[in-house]
Amino acid sequence: MTITPFPAIEYIYSVENCIPKEVIPSKNVSLNILSKGVYSAQMMKVLQEEPILITSLGGFAGKSIKYYLDKSKVKSDIVWTNYETPHQVKILLEKSADYYNLRSQEVFTMDKELDKLNYKLKNHIKKVSTLVISGKLPLGQNEEIYGKWIREAKLNNIKTVISTGQKEVWEQIVQERPYAILLTEDQLHTLDFPTDTYESITKSLIPFLGQGIHFICVYLKNRGALVLSRHKYCLVESSFQLINKNNTATSGAFLGALAISINRKYEQEKMGKLCLAASLSANDNVMHKICTRKDVDTHYKKNKIKQILL
């Protein structure tokens, strides 16, 4: 089961120039979901599980996400809200590498929606063995909510996998000791962890392992991935290179594959190879399928893994 309380969506417009007071045509418009949780559930489906996604959606963007889930045949239990699903607009200038980002930044008070999400979580928790939690909490929300969900899972002997780059949320979850944590390179920056070498990243995260946290994974895009446990530090690499490195689907696919690996009790090396294969296979455009099982299997065979010795 995946719970992602406030997924966001992105509208991308490719234009030649931005001219004030003019109607600017765009030859290419795409719509992307900015939520690891949505893509993690979709990757679970690709890997032949039957996940359920619990989320809160609203407005046109929310309906777009629901349509995407239905098209992907991912089961969902949705809290519909009067608030518009968080969104942003990216304007790409074709003649240069410049772009503009416009992001909604409203402060929501969504106590009723959170109460409904809690109810849905408790209603489904006894039917699953692994809980995935991800998503950026909007301004105004209680950062302790993720800790509350981890505790609820532990009461039911459910393993929790979580991904966050928000400092206040990070402080909460490391105290609650989830079973596994996923961090991206951007999240490492936000949380003030080093990102220069595999060794420095590993050394900075070792103190968090143990006492309930079995795995910490770091997705480093074209640099590969780290899969760390208390007794073994693995580096997974591939000769394949991402075309779109700023792709939320890739880290979301990694998160879903991590949950699958834990659920199926894969050994650490197999876990690392599957997670990186899933991320390399993912596609971020909502007009297309994220990938197929054959894509994942192809990348899995090409991945190489080695241990980091400190």
Side-chain angles (χ1 to χ4, degrees):
M1 177 168 62
T2 293
I3 183 165
T4 182
F6 307 102
I9 206 162
E10 179 182 51
Y11 306 88
I12 303 176
Y13 295 85
S14 180
V15 302
E16 290 186 3
N17 294 293
C18 279
I19 305 171
K21 300 180 182 180
E22 293 286 341
V23 176
I24 306 169
S26 177
K27 298 178 182 178
N28 184 25
V29 180
S30 59
L31 186 64
N32 294 316
I33 296 170
L34 302 175
S35 171
K36 292 185 190 68
V38 171
Y39 292 118
S40 72
Q42 194 179 9
M43 179 50 65
M44 292 178 202
K45 185 74 177 180
V46 170
L47 295 175
Q48 300 176 335
E49 292 288 351
E50 290 296 331
I52 182 166
L53 176 71
I54 299 175
T55 187
S56 176
L57 301 174
F60 173 76
K63 292 178 181 178
S64 299
I65 294 175
K66 179 62 167 66
Y67 171 75
Y68 183 63
L69 292 170
D70 291 344
K71 189 170 64 171
S72 304
K73 297 181 180 180
V74 174
K75 295 179 182 178
S76 59
D77 196 350
I78 297 170
V79 175
W80 288 102
T81 174
N82 293 327
Y83 295 107
E84 180 69 40
T85 289
H87 60 278
Q88 70 180 38
V89 176
K90 178 180 286 186
I91 301 173
L92 300 174
L93 300 182
E94 296 175 354
K95 295 182 179 180
S96 70
D98 293 334
Y99 63 88
Y100 301 92
N101 267 345
L102 307 176
R103 181 177 299 174
S104 60
Q105 194 70 15
E106 299 94 341
V107 177
F108 300 115
T109 303
M110 302 185 71
D111 295 338
K112 292 182 179 179
E113 286 81 359
L114 285 174
D115 287 342
K116 291 179 181 179
L117 286 172
N118 288 335
Y119 174 79
K120 291 182 182 295
L121 177 68
K122 291 180 180 180
N123 188 43
H124 292 287
I125 196 76
K126 297 183 184 298
K127 307 172 188 176
V128 303
S129 57
T130 308
L131 172 66
V132 175
I133 305 174
S134 74
K136 184 177 181 179
L137 286 177
L139 294 174
Q141 304 310 308
N142 186 351
E143 63 270 8
E144 296 181 0
I145 188 65
Y146 282 3
K148 181 178 180 180
W149 290 337
I150 294 172
R151 292 193 296 273
E152 181 67 30
K154 286 185 175 181
L155 287 174
N156 291 277
N157 295 317
I158 305 299
K159 295 175 181 177
T160 308
V161 184
I162 191 164
S163 179
T164 183
Q166 292 176 279
K167 290 184 178 181
E168 60 276 13
V169 178
W170 171 262
E171 293 171 358
Q172 288 289 325
I173 67 167
V174 293
Q175 293 178 13
E176 299 297 338
R177 321 300 293 180
Y179 191 88
I181 298 173
L182 168 64
L183 293 169
T184 65
E185 194 166 18
D186 291 339
Q187 288 173 338
L188 288 177
H189 279 297
T190 305
L191 296 171
D192 297 324
F193 287 116
T195 60
D196 50 345
T197 66
Y198 301 125
E199 290 77 12
S200 63
I201 297 171
T202 301
K203 288 179 180 178
S204 68
L205 295 174
I206 286 175
F208 297 99
L209 288 164
Q211 297 181 349
I213 300 180
H214 290 71
F215 298 101
I216 297 179
C217 298
V218 185
Y219 173 54
L220 297 167
K221 300 179 182 177
N222 283 334
R223 294 167 62 192
L226 294 170
V227 181
L228 312 176
S229 67
R230 193 172 180 182
H231 303 294
K232 190 184 295 184
Y233 317 128
C234 294
L235 168 65
V236 196
E237 295 179 300
S238 174
S239 57
F240 181 84
Q241 295 290 294
L242 292 167
I243 297 175
N244 181 4
K245 292 188 290 185
N246 299 316
N247 182 342
T248 306
T250 58
S251 55
F254 192 109
L255 182 62
L258 176 58
I260 289 289
S261 300
I262 290 170
N263 198 42
R264 296 177 181 173
K265 300 180 180 179
Y266 287 164
E267 62 182 14
Q268 191 168 336
E269 289 83 358
K270 185 174 181 179
M271 175 189 295
K273 291 178 68 175
L274 179 65
C275 289
L276 186 60
S279 64
L280 293 174
S281 303
N283 188 316
D284 68 336
N285 192 317
V286 300
M287 302 304 293
H288 303 93
K289 293 170 62 175
I290 186 172
C291 64
T292 66
R293 179 61 187 266
K294 184 178 179 180
D295 296 328
V296 178
D297 291 342
T298 298
H299 283 106
Y300 181 91
K301 295 175 183 178
K302 296 180 179 180
N303 288 344
K304 297 180 180 179
I305 192 162
K306 60 184 180 182
Q307 287 194 40
I308 295 178
L309 303 175
L310 300 178

